[in-house]
Amino acid sequence: MPATAAVDGRVSVALCTYNGAVFLEEQLASMLAQTVLPGEIVVSDDGSTDGTSAIVERFAAESSVPVRVLRNPSPLGVTKNFEGAIRATTGSLIVLSDQDDVWRPDRVERALAAFDARPELQMVCSDARLVGADGVSLGTTLFASLSIGPHERDGIRAGDAFGVLLRRNLVTGATAMFRRAVFDAAAPFPAPWVHDEWLAIVAASRGPIEFLDEPLVDYRQHGANQIGIVEPTLAYKISRLMQPGRQRNRDIADRVAGLASWLDDARESAPRADPSAVVAKAAFERFRADLAPARWRRILPVMLRAPRGEYQRYASQGALDILRDLLQPA
């Protein structure tokens, strides 16, 4: 812990663990090496059977920052585990943490500066350096792996984060800080959504979010990642064209329909959301899910739909998804 580090009581850390003994101590140490320390750390364990619990107990006993430890009686899975951890925090600003990453010393400080500069912000997330199990850089960053384009950055800066994230999620929870009011609006997390996707779209429905281009986290990629990053090589993109995708479209349509229902109940607290766009996105994904198994029978409906601009507005890969819908096996 830096000798001169200040403590900001507004900040709570929600850390979820599950059999994370191999990397956990390095992550915990990076939390106490922050230039601005959080006011508390909540650790929620999802039934670890390795040495995770002993590491957490030792850390809680020695930490200069108050630590609260939760243990789920039975495993909840990553999304519900994070929901429980966040609910147990008390701060007005919540930082999410995976068990296997490492924070840059100014991770908390840089996110706080963004919130202090823009009181209307609902969420801040940063870039991350992708590293291997050994902590050595893989030579790329999270934003590069997500292929975040200039039009998406421009949309977020212009205040249309909701429209950008409706097209595809760009927020990785391990890099995020958000206002407690976002969680209050988002809970309980709906089952089809991953926690960071849901928190991000709810945050964007309420107000602006900000992307920091600095890699403030070492985001570790290893064989046991529950959620990881795949490098978007040309070979990978081509392979995705040839993978069956109808069920994926159905799943997206169901998730977006759930978002539409949430907006019906939360309209006043979600002024940045466009309900008509949400309905249109759900209908578009159902159209894609219902395309004929035979490729030749998809040509006419896809070509008639393409000029309407829905692939650009709602498909994660834009015009590339036209090819996907034409070429994918049923």
Side-chain angles (χ1 to χ4, degrees):
M1 166 180 164
T4 59
V7 176
D8 195 312
R10 295 174 296 171
V11 180
S12 294
V13 176
L15 165 64
C16 287
T17 58
Y18 175 72
N19 288 345
V22 174
F23 305 116
L24 180 57
E25 287 182 288
E26 191 175 2
Q27 170 65 313
L28 293 172
S30 75
M31 291 181 184
L32 296 187
Q34 293 296 295
T35 54
V36 175
L37 292 167
E40 66 173 357
I41 299 170
V42 172
V43 183
S44 181
D45 187 74
D46 210 26
S48 293
T49 56
D50 63 355
T52 295
S53 294
I55 292 171
V56 170
E57 289 293 343
R58 185 166 61 250
F59 175 75
E62 299 173 355
S63 172
S64 57
V65 173
V67 178
R68 199 169 344 148
V69 181
L70 310 176
R71 291 185 182 83
N72 300 326
S74 58
L76 300 177
V78 61
T79 294
K80 285 300 179 182
N81 195 22
F82 266 109
E83 182 179 334
I86 298 167
R87 182 173 284 111
T89 63
T90 60
S92 60
L93 293 169
I94 315 299
V95 187
L96 298 185
S97 175
D98 290 347
Q99 64 186 2
D100 43 14
D101 300 329
V102 178
W103 290 2
R104 205 172 81 175
D106 59 346
R107 187 231 165 142
V108 171
E109 181 180 5
R110 288 291 297 112
L112 276 173
F115 277 108
D116 289 341
R118 298 178 63 191
E120 74 277 15
L121 274 182
Q122 299 297 307
M123 173 178 281
V124 173
C125 57
S126 76
D127 203 352
R129 189 177 72 138
L130 300 191
V131 301
D134 56 3
V136 175
S137 172
L138 297 177
T140 189
T141 69
L142 176 63
F143 286 177
S145 295
L146 291 172
S147 298
I148 300 177
H151 62 291
E152 291 170 321
R153 290 176 180 272
D154 290 345
I156 290 168
R157 292 189 185 108
D160 187 31
F162 186 84
V164 172
L165 298 183
L166 185 61
R167 181 172 176 260
R168 68 176 182 126
N169 179 54
L170 300 175
V171 171
T172 300
T175 74
M177 179 187 284
F178 53 90
R179 296 194 184 279
R180 178 163 210 89
V182 171
F183 173 75
D184 292 340
F189 299 168
W193 289 79
V194 179
H195 64 285
D196 49 8
E197 288 184 289
W198 180 245
L199 286 165
I201 197 72
V202 170
S205 78
R206 295 173 52 82
I209 66 175
E210 185 169 328
F211 278 41
L212 302 177
D213 287 328
E214 302 163 81
L216 300 179
V217 174
D218 277 359
Y219 190 40
R220 202 186 304 261
Q221 304 298 291
H222 55 86
N225 285 93
Q226 291 188 291
I227 300 174
I229 294 293
V230 178
E231 187 177 354
T233 62
L234 179 60
Y236 171 71
K237 291 179 179 180
I238 292 173
S239 71
R240 287 193 67 190
L241 289 178
M242 302 311 296
Q243 293 173 356
R246 305 285 83 85
Q247 186 57 51
R248 174 179 175 273
N249 297 126
R250 290 188 187 92
D251 292 343
I252 293 173
D254 289 343
R255 282 197 323 227
V256 177
L259 174 60
S261 296
W262 177 83
L263 284 174
D264 283 341
D265 295 331
R267 190 70 53 83
E268 291 185 5
S269 64
R272 295 292 183 100
D274 180 356
S276 64
V278 176
V279 172
K281 163 84 170 181
F284 173 66
E285 294 295 347
R286 294 204 186 281
F287 156 76
R288 299 179 70 194
D290 293 338
L291 285 168
R295 290 186 178 96
W296 67 269
R297 293 184 61 193
R298 304 177 205 163
I299 297 173
L300 182 59
V302 170
M303 291 299 99
L304 289 174
R305 197 92 178 198
R308 296 166 59 170
E310 291 170 308
Y311 281 93
Q312 286 74 20
R313 286 194 299 273
Y314 304 129
S316 64
Q317 299 300 317
L320 187 61
D321 277 304
I322 297 174
L323 286 177
R324 180 181 293 172
D325 284 350
L326 292 173
L327 297 178
Q328 275 183 329

